[in-house]
Amino acid sequence: MFKLNALVAGSTGYIGVQLIKLLVKHKYINIRYLCGNTSVGKKISSFEKSLNSKRLPKIVKFKKEYLKNVDIVFTALPNGESQDISKSLKRNNVLIDLSADFRLEKSSEYLKWYKQKHRAIDKIKKSIYSLPEITRNKIKDYNIISCPGCYPTSVLIPLIPLLKKNLIKSNNIIIDSKSGYSGAGRGVHKKYKDKNLYESLRAYGVGFHRHNSEIEQELKKFNKGKLGFDFTPHLSPMFRGILSTIYVDLNKRTTQSNIINELKNFYKKNYFIKILKKDHFIGTNDVINTNFCNISVCKTKNKKRLIILSAIDNLIKGGSGQAIQNLNLKFGFPEYTGIKWKF
Protein backbone atom coordinates (compact mmCIF):
# COMPACT_ATOMS: atom_id res chain seq x y z
CA MET A 1 0.00 0.00 0.00
CA PHE A 2 1.24 3.49 -0.87
CA LYS A 3 2.17 5.52 2.21
CA LEU A 4 3.26 9.09 2.77
CA ASN A 5 6.37 9.64 4.88
CA ALA A 6 5.88 12.01 7.81
CA LEU A 7 8.05 13.98 10.21
CA VAL A 8 6.65 15.12 13.56
CA ALA A 9 8.49 18.06 15.13
CA GLY A 10 7.59 18.66 18.76
CA SER A 11 6.73 15.03 19.24
CA THR A 12 6.83 14.84 23.05
CA GLY A 13 4.30 17.53 24.03
CA TYR A 14 0.69 16.62 24.79
CA ILE A 15 -0.42 17.49 21.25
CA GLY A 16 2.59 15.79 19.67
CA VAL A 17 2.08 12.54 21.56
CA GLN A 18 -1.63 12.51 20.74
CA LEU A 19 -0.81 13.14 17.09
CA ILE A 20 1.55 10.16 17.01
CA LYS A 21 -1.09 7.94 18.66
CA LEU A 22 -3.42 8.77 15.78
CA LEU A 23 -0.83 8.62 12.98
CA VAL A 24 0.24 5.06 13.86
CA LYS A 25 -3.34 4.00 13.06
CA HIS A 26 -3.51 5.93 9.78
CA LYS A 27 -3.16 3.45 6.93
CA TYR A 28 -1.62 5.95 4.52
CA ILE A 29 1.09 7.31 6.85
CA ASN A 30 4.57 6.10 7.71
CA ILE A 31 6.30 8.02 10.50
CA ARG A 32 9.88 8.55 9.30
CA TYR A 33 11.17 11.00 11.91
CA LEU A 34 10.23 12.06 15.42
CA CYS A 35 11.96 15.28 16.42
CA GLY A 36 12.58 16.96 19.76
CA ASN A 37 15.15 19.02 21.59
CA THR A 38 15.53 17.84 25.19
CA SER A 39 14.46 14.27 24.45
CA VAL A 40 16.99 13.32 21.73
CA GLY A 41 17.85 9.62 21.80
CA LYS A 42 14.79 8.61 23.78
CA LYS A 43 11.91 6.45 22.62
CA ILE A 44 8.48 8.04 22.34
CA SER A 45 7.20 5.27 24.61
CA SER A 46 9.00 7.11 27.43
CA PHE A 47 6.22 9.68 27.13
CA GLU A 48 3.34 7.38 26.16
CA LYS A 49 3.43 3.73 27.24
CA SER A 50 0.76 2.68 24.74
CA LEU A 51 3.28 3.33 21.94
CA ASN A 52 5.75 0.80 23.35
CA SER A 53 4.69 -1.94 20.95
CA LYS A 54 4.88 0.28 17.87
CA ARG A 55 7.89 0.33 15.58
CA LEU A 56 8.75 3.98 15.79
CA PRO A 57 12.05 5.82 15.28
CA LYS A 58 13.93 7.24 18.24
CA ILE A 59 13.67 10.97 18.82
CA VAL A 60 16.25 13.04 16.92
CA LYS A 61 17.05 16.72 16.65
CA PHE A 62 15.47 18.29 13.58
CA LYS A 63 17.71 18.74 10.54
CA LYS A 64 16.52 20.36 7.35
CA GLU A 65 18.14 17.48 5.42
CA TYR A 66 15.30 15.27 6.67
CA LEU A 67 12.85 17.23 4.53
CA LYS A 68 14.21 15.48 1.42
CA ASN A 69 12.87 12.19 2.74
CA VAL A 70 9.34 13.15 3.80
CA ASP A 71 6.08 14.27 2.25
CA ILE A 72 4.45 15.79 5.33
CA VAL A 73 5.86 17.82 8.19
CA PHE A 74 3.72 18.15 11.30
CA THR A 75 4.86 20.90 13.67
CA ALA A 76 3.64 21.00 17.26
CA LEU A 77 6.31 23.42 18.40
CA PRO A 78 6.56 26.59 20.48
CA ASN A 79 5.39 29.64 18.55
CA GLY A 80 8.01 30.87 16.10
CA GLU A 81 9.80 27.61 15.41
CA SER A 82 7.53 26.44 12.58
CA GLN A 83 8.36 29.66 10.74
CA ASP A 84 12.02 28.63 10.63
CA ILE A 85 11.16 25.18 9.28
CA SER A 86 8.87 26.69 6.64
CA LYS A 87 11.84 28.49 5.06
CA SER A 88 13.53 25.15 4.34
CA LEU A 89 10.55 23.32 2.83
CA LYS A 90 11.06 21.42 -0.40
CA ARG A 91 8.60 21.67 -3.30
CA ASN A 92 6.97 18.34 -2.42
CA ASN A 93 6.65 19.05 1.32
CA VAL A 94 3.32 19.83 2.97
CA LEU A 95 3.57 21.59 6.33
CA ILE A 96 0.70 21.08 8.76
CA ASP A 97 1.27 23.45 11.66
CA LEU A 98 -0.42 23.05 15.03
CA SER A 99 1.11 26.20 16.53
CA ALA A 100 -0.04 29.79 15.96
CA ASP A 101 2.67 30.64 13.43
CA PHE A 102 0.43 30.88 10.36
CA ARG A 103 -2.98 31.49 11.91
CA LEU A 104 -2.94 35.27 11.61
CA GLU A 105 -3.03 36.86 8.17
CA LYS A 106 -1.15 40.01 9.20
CA SER A 107 2.38 39.90 10.59
CA SER A 108 1.58 43.03 12.60
CA GLU A 109 -1.17 41.14 14.42
CA TYR A 110 1.24 38.30 15.15
CA LEU A 111 3.68 40.78 16.68
CA LYS A 112 0.89 42.39 18.72
CA TRP A 113 -0.48 39.17 20.19
CA TYR A 114 2.58 36.92 20.33
CA LYS A 115 5.18 39.56 21.15
CA GLN A 116 7.67 38.44 18.49
CA LYS A 117 8.35 39.40 14.90
CA HIS A 118 7.22 36.94 12.27
CA ARG A 119 10.30 35.37 10.67
CA ALA A 120 8.62 34.01 7.51
CA ILE A 121 6.34 36.82 6.37
CA ASP A 122 6.52 35.74 2.73
CA LYS A 123 5.02 32.37 3.70
CA ILE A 124 1.88 33.83 5.30
CA LYS A 125 0.13 34.42 1.96
CA LYS A 126 1.11 30.91 0.90
CA SER A 127 -0.63 29.39 3.90
CA ILE A 128 -4.28 28.71 4.75
CA TYR A 129 -6.05 28.87 8.09
CA SER A 130 -7.95 25.64 7.79
CA LEU A 131 -10.99 24.84 9.88
CA PRO A 132 -11.82 21.76 7.77
CA GLU A 133 -15.59 22.18 7.74
CA ILE A 134 -15.17 25.71 6.34
CA THR A 135 -12.13 25.43 4.06
CA ARG A 136 -12.44 21.91 2.66
CA ASN A 137 -12.74 23.16 -0.93
CA LYS A 138 -9.69 25.43 -0.73
CA ILE A 139 -7.12 23.36 1.13
CA LYS A 140 -5.71 21.52 -1.90
CA ASP A 141 -4.27 24.79 -3.22
CA TYR A 142 -1.93 25.23 -0.23
CA ASN A 143 1.17 23.47 1.06
CA ILE A 144 1.26 25.29 4.39
CA ILE A 145 -1.80 24.43 6.44
CA SER A 146 -2.44 26.18 9.73
CA CYS A 147 -4.66 24.33 12.17
CA PRO A 148 -6.95 26.51 14.35
CA GLY A 149 -6.42 26.83 18.07
CA CYS A 150 -8.48 24.68 20.39
CA TYR A 151 -10.66 27.45 21.86
CA PRO A 152 -11.36 29.05 18.45
CA THR A 153 -12.37 25.65 17.05
CA SER A 154 -15.07 25.29 19.70
CA VAL A 155 -16.26 28.86 19.07
CA LEU A 156 -16.07 29.25 15.30
CA ILE A 157 -17.91 26.05 14.41
CA PRO A 158 -21.23 27.15 15.97
CA LEU A 159 -20.94 30.89 15.26
CA ILE A 160 -19.84 31.06 11.61
CA PRO A 161 -23.11 29.68 10.11
CA LEU A 162 -25.23 31.97 12.29
CA LEU A 163 -23.31 35.12 11.44
CA LYS A 164 -23.23 34.19 7.79
CA LYS A 165 -27.06 34.01 7.73
CA ASN A 166 -27.41 37.07 10.00
CA LEU A 167 -29.49 35.16 12.56
CA ILE A 168 -27.81 36.64 15.62
CA LYS A 169 -26.62 40.08 16.69
CA SER A 170 -22.90 40.34 16.14
CA ASN A 171 -22.07 43.16 18.53
CA ASN A 172 -22.64 41.47 21.91
CA ILE A 173 -21.45 37.86 21.87
CA ILE A 174 -20.20 36.47 25.16
CA ILE A 175 -17.93 33.41 25.12
CA ASP A 176 -17.11 31.55 28.33
CA SER A 177 -14.74 28.63 27.68
CA LYS A 178 -13.36 26.01 30.05
CA SER A 179 -10.47 23.77 29.09
CA GLY A 180 -8.58 20.85 30.54
CA TYR A 181 -5.09 21.81 31.65
CA SER A 182 -3.44 19.84 28.82
CA GLY A 183 -4.27 22.83 26.62
CA ALA A 184 -1.53 24.77 28.36
CA GLY A 185 1.16 22.20 27.52
CA ARG A 186 3.47 20.17 29.73
CA GLY A 187 4.83 23.34 31.32
CA VAL A 188 1.48 23.98 32.99
CA HIS A 189 2.51 21.95 36.04
CA LYS A 190 5.43 24.26 36.77
CA LYS A 191 3.60 27.44 35.83
CA TYR A 192 0.69 26.74 38.17
CA LYS A 193 2.44 24.64 40.80
CA ASP A 194 1.25 26.93 43.59
CA LYS A 195 -2.28 27.43 42.20
CA ASN A 196 -3.95 24.15 43.20
CA LEU A 197 -4.27 23.22 39.53
CA TYR A 198 -5.92 19.84 40.10
CA GLU A 199 -8.72 20.98 42.39
CA SER A 200 -9.69 24.48 41.29
CA LEU A 201 -11.17 26.34 38.34
CA ARG A 202 -9.04 29.30 37.24
CA ALA A 203 -9.74 32.18 34.83
CA TYR A 204 -6.78 33.51 32.87
CA GLY A 205 -6.03 35.79 29.92
CA VAL A 206 -9.20 37.73 30.73
CA GLY A 207 -9.96 40.10 27.86
CA PHE A 208 -6.56 39.65 26.22
CA HIS A 209 -6.04 35.96 25.52
CA ARG A 210 -4.16 35.42 22.26
CA HIS A 211 -7.05 33.51 20.71
CA ASN A 212 -9.07 36.73 20.63
CA SER A 213 -7.16 37.70 17.50
CA GLU A 214 -7.88 34.41 15.77
CA ILE A 215 -11.58 34.42 16.66
CA GLU A 216 -11.99 38.02 15.50
CA GLN A 217 -10.14 37.47 12.22
CA GLU A 218 -12.28 34.50 11.22
CA LEU A 219 -15.67 35.80 12.39
CA LYS A 220 -15.16 39.04 10.44
CA LYS A 221 -15.05 37.03 7.23
CA PHE A 222 -18.67 36.00 7.73
CA ASN A 223 -20.11 38.97 9.58
CA LYS A 224 -22.10 41.75 7.87
CA GLY A 225 -22.28 44.15 10.81
CA LYS A 226 -20.13 45.42 13.65
CA LEU A 227 -18.42 42.60 15.51
CA GLY A 228 -18.19 42.71 19.28
CA PHE A 229 -17.45 39.79 21.60
CA ASP A 230 -15.92 39.02 24.96
CA PHE A 231 -13.94 35.82 25.38
CA THR A 232 -12.86 34.46 28.77
CA PRO A 233 -10.93 31.17 29.04
CA HIS A 234 -10.60 29.05 32.17
CA LEU A 235 -8.36 26.18 33.19
CA SER A 236 -10.39 23.36 34.69
CA PRO A 237 -9.20 20.56 37.01
CA MET A 238 -9.41 17.94 34.26
CA PHE A 239 -6.77 16.74 31.81
CA ARG A 240 -8.55 17.26 28.48
CA GLY A 241 -11.69 18.66 26.86
CA ILE A 242 -13.25 22.08 26.20
CA LEU A 243 -16.76 23.28 26.90
CA SER A 244 -17.61 26.69 25.46
CA THR A 245 -20.77 28.43 26.63
CA ILE A 246 -21.71 31.11 24.10
CA TYR A 247 -24.40 33.72 24.79
CA VAL A 248 -26.01 35.22 21.68
CA ASP A 249 -28.76 37.81 21.15
CA LEU A 250 -31.26 36.96 18.43
CA ASN A 251 -32.15 39.16 15.50
CA LYS A 252 -35.82 39.91 14.89
CA ARG A 253 -37.92 36.90 13.86
CA THR A 254 -35.08 34.48 14.68
CA THR A 255 -36.11 31.54 16.86
CA GLN A 256 -34.38 28.65 18.55
CA SER A 257 -35.66 26.37 15.79
CA ASN A 258 -34.17 28.68 13.13
CA ILE A 259 -30.78 28.44 14.82
CA ILE A 260 -30.88 24.65 15.15
CA ASN A 261 -32.11 24.13 11.60
CA GLU A 262 -29.43 26.39 10.15
CA LEU A 263 -26.67 24.57 12.04
CA LYS A 264 -28.03 21.20 10.93
CA ASN A 265 -28.30 22.34 7.32
CA PHE A 266 -24.86 23.96 7.26
CA TYR A 267 -23.14 20.88 8.68
CA LYS A 268 -25.33 18.14 7.21
CA LYS A 269 -22.45 16.69 5.18
CA ASN A 270 -19.88 17.03 7.96
CA TYR A 271 -19.27 13.77 9.77
CA PHE A 272 -17.60 15.27 12.85
CA ILE A 273 -20.19 17.92 13.75
CA LYS A 274 -23.18 16.80 15.82
CA ILE A 275 -26.10 19.17 16.35
CA LEU A 276 -28.10 17.79 19.26
CA LYS A 277 -31.74 18.18 20.24
CA LYS A 278 -32.77 21.54 21.67
CA ASP A 279 -32.00 22.28 25.32
CA HIS A 280 -29.75 19.23 25.57
CA PHE A 281 -27.14 19.51 28.30
CA ILE A 282 -23.72 18.39 27.13
CA GLY A 283 -20.30 17.98 28.70
CA THR A 284 -16.73 17.22 27.75
CA ASN A 285 -17.13 13.54 28.56
CA ASP A 286 -19.40 13.23 25.50
CA VAL A 287 -16.48 14.01 23.15
CA ILE A 288 -13.33 12.94 25.01
CA ASN A 289 -10.99 10.88 22.81
CA THR A 290 -12.94 11.72 19.64
CA ASN A 291 -12.70 14.21 16.78
CA PHE A 292 -16.32 15.30 17.23
CA CYS A 293 -17.74 18.70 18.07
CA ASN A 294 -21.09 18.46 19.87
CA ILE A 295 -23.37 21.50 19.79
CA SER A 296 -26.55 22.19 21.74
CA VAL A 297 -28.80 25.27 21.51
CA CYS A 298 -30.61 26.16 24.74
CA LYS A 299 -33.33 28.62 25.70
CA THR A 300 -32.89 31.13 28.53
CA LYS A 301 -35.38 33.13 30.57
CA ASN A 302 -34.64 35.98 28.16
CA LYS A 303 -36.61 35.23 24.96
CA LYS A 304 -34.25 37.39 22.91
CA ARG A 305 -31.17 35.39 23.91
CA LEU A 306 -29.98 31.81 23.49
CA ILE A 307 -27.08 29.86 24.94
CA ILE A 308 -25.03 27.68 22.61
CA LEU A 309 -23.00 24.88 24.16
CA SER A 310 -20.04 23.54 22.19
CA ALA A 311 -17.86 20.65 23.36
CA ILE A 312 -14.64 19.25 21.86
CA ASP A 313 -11.55 17.32 22.90
CA ASN A 314 -8.85 19.99 22.83
CA LEU A 315 -6.11 17.48 21.98
CA ILE A 316 -8.01 15.91 19.06
CA LYS A 317 -10.66 18.08 17.39
CA GLY A 318 -8.84 21.10 18.84
CA GLY A 319 -5.44 19.80 17.76
CA SER A 320 -4.09 16.53 16.39
CA GLY A 321 -7.36 15.12 15.04
CA GLN A 322 -8.08 18.32 13.16
CA ALA A 323 -4.55 18.20 11.74
CA ILE A 324 -5.21 14.72 10.38
CA GLN A 325 -8.60 15.85 9.07
CA ASN A 326 -6.76 18.56 7.13
CA LEU A 327 -4.22 15.99 5.93
CA ASN A 328 -7.00 13.77 4.61
CA LEU A 329 -8.66 16.62 2.75
CA LYS A 330 -5.35 17.80 1.28
CA PHE A 331 -4.44 14.38 -0.11
CA GLY A 332 -7.92 13.20 -1.06
CA PHE A 333 -8.22 10.46 1.56
CA PRO A 334 -11.63 9.79 3.14
CA GLU A 335 -11.97 12.60 5.68
CA TYR A 336 -12.42 10.29 8.66
CA THR A 337 -9.36 8.09 7.89
CA GLY A 338 -7.49 7.43 11.12
CA ILE A 339 -9.88 9.51 13.27
CA LYS A 340 -13.32 7.96 12.84
CA TRP A 341 -13.67 6.17 16.13
CA LYS A 342 -13.14 6.82 19.80
CA PHE A 343 -9.53 6.27 20.78
Side-chain angles (χ1 to χ4, degrees):
M1 179 186 293
F2 167 76
K3 290 192 175 186
L4 298 169
N5 287 315
L7 179 154
V8 179
S11 57
T12 62
Y14 288 138
I15 286 284
V17 167
Q18 180 64 73
L19 177 62
I20 296 164
K21 288 172 68 177
L22 299 181
L23 288 175
V24 295
K25 297 180 180 181
H26 197 294
K27 62 183 181 180
Y28 299 116
I29 297 296
N30 171 58
I31 299 176
R32 185 74 181 268
Y33 301 106
L34 297 177
C35 299
N37 289 320
T38 61
S39 52
V40 172
K42 293 183 178 180
K43 294 182 177 180
I44 195 64
S45 56
S46 300
F47 300 88
E48 175 53 53
K49 291 182 180 179
S50 68
L51 294 171
N52 190 48
S53 62
K54 309 298 181 182
R55 291 185 177 180
L56 291 168
K58 286 187 177 181
I59 299 167
V60 295
K61 192 172 183 65
F62 174 81
K63 294 180 180 179
K64 58 185 178 181
E65 288 80 10
Y66 296 155
L67 297 176
K68 300 176 184 177
N69 305 318
V70 298
D71 305 288
I72 309 150
V73 181
F74 291 97
T75 46
L77 295 163
N79 295 320
E81 294 185 23
S82 297
Q83 299 165 31
D84 296 331
I85 290 178
S86 74
K87 292 186 284 188
S88 300
L89 291 175
K90 307 300 179 183
R91 181 175 294 182
N92 66 307
N93 294 149
V94 172
L95 173 64
I96 300 180
D97 183 30
L98 289 89
S99 78
D101 279 3
F102 295 97
R103 290 177 187 163
L104 300 182
E105 296 172 355
K106 295 180 180 179
S107 59
S108 58
E109 286 294 295
Y110 185 84
L111 175 60
K112 174 183 175 182
W113 289 95
Y114 290 90
K115 309 305 179 187
Q116 57 178 294
K117 288 185 177 180
H118 203 284
R119 301 194 291 272
I121 294 176
D122 61 314
K123 301 292 184 182
I124 295 177
K125 289 185 178 181
K126 298 178 181 179
S127 68
I128 183 172
Y129 179 95
S130 186
L131 188 63
E133 287 77 16
I134 305 300
T135 55
R136 64 172 63 254
N137 296 325
K138 300 178 181 179
I139 194 171
K140 288 190 176 183
D141 296 330
Y142 295 86
N143 279 1
I144 298 178
I145 299 166
S146 178
C147 298
C150 51
Y151 284 126
T153 296
S154 71
V155 172
L156 296 173
I157 290 174
L159 286 183
I160 284 175
L162 307 183
L163 287 174
K164 189 175 181 180
K165 278 297 183 76
N166 198 31
L167 294 176
I168 60 174
K169 295 185 183 300
S170 61
N171 61 351
N172 187 32
I173 300 170
I174 299 172
I175 306 162
D176 182 298
S177 297
K178 296 174 176 63
S179 172
Y181 57 80
S182 60
R186 290 192 184 276
V188 69
H189 306 284
K190 292 181 180 179
K191 185 176 181 180
Y192 293 99
K193 64 180 180 179
D194 299 322
K195 305 298 183 183
N196 199 16
L197 177 65
Y198 310 107
E199 297 181 12
S200 68
L201 181 66
R202 183 177 181 83
Y204 69 106
V206 179
F208 298 96
H209 189 278
R210 290 170 170 177
H211 284 171
N212 274 280
S213 56
E214 192 178 331
I215 294 170
E216 182 172 11
Q217 171 184 278
E218 295 307 307
L219 289 183
K220 278 185 174 180
K221 295 177 181 178
F222 301 92
N223 181 48
K224 298 175 183 177
K226 182 180 179 181
L227 180 66
F229 68 89
D230 288 299
F231 165 63
T232 304
H234 304 75
L235 279 183
S236 299
M238 58 186 185
F239 178 65
R240 62 199 301 161
I242 286 178
L243 179 65
S244 286
T245 304
I246 307 169
Y247 302 80
V248 297
D249 294 328
L250 301 177
N251 279 332
K252 289 182 179 180
R253 293 183 292 278
T254 300
T255 66
Q256 182 186 30
S257 294
N258 294 151
I259 297 291
I260 295 172
N261 289 338
E262 178 56 31
L263 289 171
K264 284 183 176 180
N265 182 64
F266 192 90
Y267 291 116
K268 62 184 177 182
K269 295 182 180 180
N270 291 270
Y271 178 81
F272 293 111
I273 310 299
K274 291 184 176 181
I275 311 302
L276 305 177
K277 293 180 180 179
K278 65 179 182 179
D279 303 314
H280 186 84
F281 297 157
I282 63 175
T284 54
N285 198 51
D286 302 322
V287 294
I288 290 300
N289 293 312
T290 79
N291 195 56
F292 289 105
C293 174
N294 283 7
I295 297 172
S296 176
V297 181
C298 304
K299 288 181 179 178
T300 74
K301 63 181 180 180
N302 184 342
K303 293 182 179 180
K304 296 181 180 180
R305 172 172 288 185
L306 292 175
I307 293 175
I308 300 173
L309 304 175
S310 175
I312 64 169
D313 185 319
N314 59 298
L315 296 180
I316 300 184
K317 182 57 177 168
S320 58
Q322 187 152 251
I324 293 177
Q325 200 178 344
N326 278 324
L327 161 77
N328 291 337
L329 290 170
K330 170 65 179 178
F331 287 94
F333 305 140
E335 189 173 349
Y336 47 76
T337 304
I339 47 175
K340 187 172 184 179
W341 308 113
K342 190 167 184 175
F343 304 99

